[in-house]
Amino acid sequence: MFEARLAKGAIFKKILEAVKDLLTEASWDCGDMGITLQAMDNAHVSLVSLNLRSDGFDKYRCDRNLTMGMNLGSMSKILKCAGNDDIVTIRAQDNPDTVTFVFESENGEKQSDYEMKLMSLDLEHLQIPETEYACVVKMPAGEFARICRDLSQFGDSIVISCSKQGVKFSASGDIGSANVKLAQSSNVDKEEEAVTIEMQEPVSFTYACRYLNFFTKATPLSAQVKLSMSPEYPLMVEYAIDDIGQIRYFLAPKIED
Amino acid sequence: KVKQAGIMSFFKKK
């Protein structure tokens, strides 16, 4: 028996919005420690790694480890049926063919359940090696989404350069060029509005706008986003998910041919 | 000229 109950059910709705355009299907791996999902996009350019810790759920029971293959478009359709304030429970038997989503209104007067067929997916899991990043930028998630959207008008790539002075986002194309520079915040009252930079060495890499814009679908999950960069390593874009976990996106850079 | 790298050139299969 597997059962995971989350009073803040809207988190699940936001997670699906954050992955459904990038991934068509994925395996949800459930165990004692919680729920994880790892999947590459179809073109194998990026990797999504989601982690939801069991202690972050209001109720969590997992008698046996199980892997549930799901079509994320179908799962998203079902989660759209949940209200923003609904309590969401995910339930499955051991060795399941189906998974059940139960939505309860806050006052307990409405309860709906949706059963979805599972898929047998034979997906590769990748080893994500530990690394010390050369640059780690923390900034407001909404600001990052805005910059990616704005610069996407100029070309299909964004260059992210990070130095002691700050972080610079650049794009160029047929209509011209664009640069957005952010300095490290000197004095912030609200932590979530701060821009902070931890730098070992300056870096500058080129990334595809298309994927960055997919990643920013996670913006509603978190006030801040963390961008981590190193030579010979993919960009990591991380959004914390309340006190339950995080979603990380890894993106391979564009390199000189 | 730049080209898009694949994620598997950085992360290997488990």
Side-chain angles (χ1 to χ4, degrees), chain A residues 99-155:
Chain A
V99 58
T100 302
F101 299 91
V102 182
F103 307 143
E104 296 163 74
S105 62
E106 265 184 311
N107 61 15
E109 288 176 2
K110 179 182 173 188
Q111 178 174 314
S112 5
D113 64 88
Y114 296 83
E115 192 181 72
M116 188 177 84
K117 289 176 192 153
L118 294 175
M119 310 169 75
S120 174
L121 299 175
D122 186 21
L123 299 175
E124 288 158 340
H125 275 63
L126 302 183
Q127 185 75 45
I128 303 170
E130 290 285 321
T131 189
E132 288 275 323
Y133 285 98
C135 281
V136 177
V137 178
K138 290 179 192 160
M139 61 185 285
E143 184 71 78
F144 178 60
R146 174 74 196 262
I147 291 170
C148 291
R149 193 192 70 193
D150 290 350
L151 296 197
S152 297
Q153 302 180 100
F154 290 82

Side-chain angles (χ1 to χ4, degrees), chain A residues 40 44-45 124-127 129 232 252-255 257, chain B:
Chain A
M40 286 184 280
H44 291 194
V45 166
E124 288 158 340
H125 275 63
L126 302 183
Q127 185 75 45
E232 309 296 317
K254 289 191 171 184
I255 50 178
D257 199 2
Chain B
K1 175 119 202 274
V2 292
K3 69 167 188 182
Q4 177 64 59
I7 197 78
M8 289 172 82
S9 12
F10 300 93
F11 297 158
K12 302 297 170 204
K13 286 180 203 172
K14 266 189 184 171

Side-chain angles (χ1 to χ4, degrees), chain A residues 9-197:
Chain A
I11 288 177
F12 274 122
K13 291 167 73 77
K14 292 174 186 171
I15 288 172
L16 262 291
E17 289 304 305
V19 296
K20 75 169 172 56
D21 294 336
L22 186 58
L23 309 172
T24 48
E25 48 202 30
S27 288
W28 297 73
D29 295 309
C30 309
D32 280 346
M33 301 295 286
I35 303 174
T36 60
L37 175 153
Q38 194 206 80
M40 286 184 280
D41 69 278
N42 279 341
H44 291 194
V45 166
S46 68
L47 180 78
V48 181
S49 175
L50 169 74
N51 181 30
L52 301 172
R53 292 185 307 272
S54 52
D55 60 16
F57 287 89
D58 297 283
K59 184 179 174 190
Y60 190 87
R61 174 180 165 185
C62 183
D63 299 340
R64 289 178 61 178
N65 288 355
L66 62 115
T67 294
M68 296 191 283
M70 299 193 203
N71 177 297
L72 297 180
S74 309
M75 188 177 174
S76 167
K77 280 181 190 166
I78 289 177
L79 280 157
K80 279 190 178 153
C81 303
N84 272 328
D85 298 320
D86 280 1
I87 301 159
V88 170
T89 303
I90 302 176
R91 194 177 287 151
Q93 301 300 320
D94 294 339
N95 299 317
D97 296 319
T98 61
V99 58
T100 302
F101 299 91
V102 182
F103 307 143
E104 296 163 74
S105 62
E106 265 184 311
N107 61 15
E109 288 176 2
K110 179 182 173 188
Q111 178 174 314
S112 5
D113 64 88
Y114 296 83
E115 192 181 72
M116 188 177 84
K117 289 176 192 153
L118 294 175
M119 310 169 75
S120 174
L121 299 175
D122 186 21
L123 299 175
E124 288 158 340
H125 275 63
L126 302 183
Q127 185 75 45
I128 303 170
E130 290 285 321
T131 189
E132 288 275 323
Y133 285 98
C135 281
V136 177
V137 178
K138 290 179 192 160
M139 61 185 285
E143 184 71 78
F144 178 60
R146 174 74 196 262
I147 291 170
C148 291
R149 193 192 70 193
D150 290 350
L151 296 197
S152 297
Q153 302 180 100
F154 290 82
D156 56 10
S157 301
I158 294 180
V159 178
I160 306 179
S161 310
C162 187
S163 69
K164 270 194 183 139
Q165 281 71 46
V167 57
K168 184 171 81 166
F169 302 86
S170 312
S172 60
D174 294 342
I175 63 168
S177 63
N179 292 291
V180 180
K181 294 175 201 162
L182 296 178
Q184 188 156 202
S185 309
S186 47
N187 186 15
V188 247
D189 296 333
K190 290 183 185 164
E191 213 172 281
E192 58 196 37
E193 289 171 9
V195 176
T196 58
I197 297 167

